[in-house]
Amino acid sequence: MKHIRNFSIIAHINHGKSTLSDRFIQATGIVSERDFKEQILDTMDLERERGITIKSQAVSLPYTADNGQAYTLNLIDTPGHVDFTYEVSRSLASCEGVLLLVDASQGVEAQTVANLYMAMDHDLEIIPVINKIDLPAADVAWVKEQIADELGLDPDEALLASAKEGTGVHEILEAIVARLPAPAGDPEARLQALIFDSQYDAYRGTIIYCRIFEGTIKGGDVIRFMSNDATYRVEEVGILQIGRVPKTHLSAGDVGYVIAGVKTVSDTRCGDTITHQDRPCAAPLPGFRAIKPVVFSSIYPVASDGYEDLAMAMDKLKLNDASLEFEKDTSVALGFGFRCGFLGLLHLEIVQERLEREFGLSLIITSPSVKYHFILSDGTTEVIDNPALYPDPAKIVGTREPYIRGSIMVPDRYLGAVIKLCLERRGVNITHQYLGKKRIELTCELPLAEVIYDFYDRLKTITQGYGSFDYELMDYRDSDLVKLDILINGEKVDALSQLVHRDGAYQRARHACQKLKQEIPRQMFKIAIQGAIGTKIIARETISAYRKDVTAKCYGGDITRKRKLLEKQKKGKKRMKMVGQVMIPQSAFLAVLKRDAD
């Protein structure tokens, strides 16, 4: 055990975690040069396309130190985006130390600080690494100053590296061996293993990724999940390199996988403890911090007969994404679907794309919302995240919405633009402080509903990519909320309904109507698109009808001939409108969600 090191790499998004992991894999030789590819731990096409890590991946690296001793380094790569903090918390629960990466040109950013505090909560050893020193804009002295002032770490212990060029990789590996503690535990004790991830395999069932804290597990053992008392016989255990490498057993301190023929998707829960059936441990391990979803949206299949496929896909996706929460939902316009909880809008996009790509589904997503509190006249409080459950307006005494405390780090030249953005999104208590000569941390309290749409994208745009954002939930505050309905030819489309603040209802209604006008194809009759609060229409767009030129054959003669033909056409269109149904394309639902970059 003294020759094992379990560690994770944490950083702000795009600071080079995956690239450094690639260099570690090359340095330890577990993949041949022919089989190697960039971002080798990012297994999803989505991750490669967007250049971000969505799913944390584990890999065991055999390493021979300068002193000639062989070590096993268990690396768990983590995402950097604020939406995927839950992946980081799961990885840290299985480690003894972390590498904290800081970009030499960008410096310390919001998620760097948030991840550092998370590592401190787990009482982990922290090695700061300054990455991207090869960039022309790199300023190592400035970053070291930030590491001391903002992170409270010793800048002299920071290692310098360029993951892209491979500079400093050997020094980092030596520091992991020398500075990170070996795992504790007794291989002879009762089995305690923490599930930190799982993956569904169509042939082998659920593959469980776990960290062994106490005891030993091997093929043939009968294991028990402590959360639900489900028992299974172990078929295979092993370590995770780029593929699965079977072993005879896993002992205390090891990170690896267990295959036990688990076919029931719901039995495997991240944070659960595995123990032996005949020799159980006294108590389960403390699971990692449970993450609560903040954004809620409904997912429906485009075709009504696709519900069973969607249900199966959601169950399998839940295995690979422990933070996804869902329950059954129905809609008058869209049929049967699921009401889902997400960690943010990027998480929603990723889940939608994974369902469409990995399971071949066609989906419709409704407008995202957050949890609101409605205080009713009988003194009760209803918690609602779905506009379809909006209570009778006559019974509503007061409404409250969740607020967050946002931390924004930007160069001082963008301060005015960022404050303007915060004020547009109903921000209050805006304060700022200088972190260095030209860097400012701006703190602001914002309604969560204003942040979930496109706040992060707008922030990146106005700060030319230099702004970083992190937030934490605060409390619920009084607000003036209304239900905005979208009507197509006088009929409500419940999938497009939104709960919005009264001050922003007009702009949201105008935007929705304009987007729908662009997306809905023209018909042989006129289509009215309206935004309404209750019975009051606050916005309207009209899609004009295709019009056949019925008067083309009339040349000359009395005007009454033409008028007679036009009146006859008008009667036909009116009759058509009575029986005609407007088909709303899938793209229209998505277009309403996206705001213009105004």
Side-chain angles (χ1 to χ4, degrees), residues 305-317:
D305 59 355
Y307 175 74
E308 291 299 327
D309 293 337
L310 176 60
M312 197 180 298
M314 294 291 281
D315 274 341
K316 289 179 181 175
L317 188 62

Side-chain angles (χ1 to χ4, degrees), residues 329-469:
D329 191 23
T330 57
S331 158
V332 176
L334 302 172
F336 291 99
F338 291 95
R339 187 73 179 169
C340 305
F342 304 96
L343 301 179
L345 216 58
L346 176 66
H347 188 205
L348 185 155
E349 278 184 46
I350 296 298
V351 167
Q352 181 200 350
E353 287 203 37
R354 287 188 69 184
L355 287 169
E356 288 176 347
R357 290 185 185 202
E358 294 174 25
F359 302 98
L361 302 174
S362 296
L363 306 171
I364 290 173
I365 310 286
T366 63
S367 297
S369 69
V370 299
K371 278 190 175 177
Y372 297 105
H373 288 179
F374 288 88
I375 299 141
L376 306 181
S377 53
D378 60 0
T380 58
T381 300
E382 277 193 28
V383 179
I384 286 171
D385 61 57
N386 190 343
L389 304 175
Y390 185 73
D392 182 357
K395 295 180 181 177
I396 298 173
V397 177
T399 54
R400 302 169 80 199
E401 63 177 326
Y403 267 69
I404 59 155
R405 181 183 286 111
S407 169
I408 303 168
M409 293 187 181
V410 286
D412 58 0
R413 63 182 180 274
Y414 300 115
L415 180 62
V418 174
I419 289 177
K420 183 184 174 192
L421 175 66
C422 292
L423 290 172
E424 281 175 6
R425 302 299 168 91
R426 297 191 282 133
V428 294
N429 298 342
I430 301 172
T431 59
H432 66 272
Q433 61 179 24
Y434 273 86
L435 299 173
K437 292 175 186 173
K438 292 187 175 181
R439 278 175 67 79
I440 284 178
E441 181 181 22
L442 188 131
T443 307
C444 177
E445 294 170 9
L446 292 152
L448 179 59
E450 295 288 340
V451 174
I452 62 170
Y453 273 86
D454 60 346
F455 183 85
Y456 191 71
D457 293 341
R458 295 281 296 126
L459 177 69
K460 283 291 183 188
T461 303
I462 64 175
T463 61
Q464 297 177 319
Y466 285 102
S468 65
F469 177 62

Side-chain angles (χ1 to χ4, degrees), residues 32-190:
S32 65
E33 284 299 318
R34 190 182 73 173
D35 295 333
F36 180 79
K37 56 187 178 183
E38 293 296 325
Q39 283 180 266
I40 195 162
L41 288 181
D42 291 344
T43 51
M44 281 187 261
D45 292 339
L46 263 176
E47 293 178 309
R48 295 176 174 282
E49 285 170 22
R50 291 174 176 248
I52 59 173
T53 301
I54 296 165
K55 189 108 181 66
S56 60
Q57 298 287 345
V59 62
S60 291
L61 307 170
Y63 176 66
T64 304
D66 289 349
N67 60 11
Q69 181 62 55
Y71 288 87
T72 298
L73 309 180
N74 291 318
L75 158 67
I76 304 177
D77 184 28
T78 63
H81 195 280
V82 65
D83 277 13
F84 300 109
T85 313
Y86 70 100
E87 289 278 350
V88 182
S89 75
R90 285 160 41 182
S91 303
L92 297 185
S94 306
C95 296
E96 278 78 39
V98 293
L99 299 178
L100 181 67
L101 249 60
V102 184
D103 188 319
S105 62
Q106 303 268 7
V108 171
E109 298 199 63
Q111 209 54 28
T112 316
V113 180
N115 286 336
L116 170 74
Y117 287 146
M118 209 183 294
M120 287 177 167
D121 287 343
H122 286 81
D123 200 22
L124 303 181
E125 187 68 34
I126 297 160
I127 300 176
V129 177
I130 300 173
N131 191 25
K132 303 191 184 182
I133 58 170
D134 58 305
L135 292 178
D139 188 343
V140 174
W142 170 66
V143 175
K144 281 190 173 182
E145 202 177 290
Q146 287 189 319
I147 287 172
D149 296 345
E150 296 175 33
L151 302 181
L153 301 174
D154 185 351
D156 297 329
E157 290 189 355
L159 303 171
L160 304 182
S162 167
K164 185 179 180 182
E165 296 185 348
T167 312
V169 171
H170 178 73
E171 289 77 5
I172 295 172
L173 289 168
E174 283 297 313
I176 290 166
V177 168
R179 287 160 60 176
L180 297 186
D186 179 5
E188 303 301 321
R190 293 168 184 262

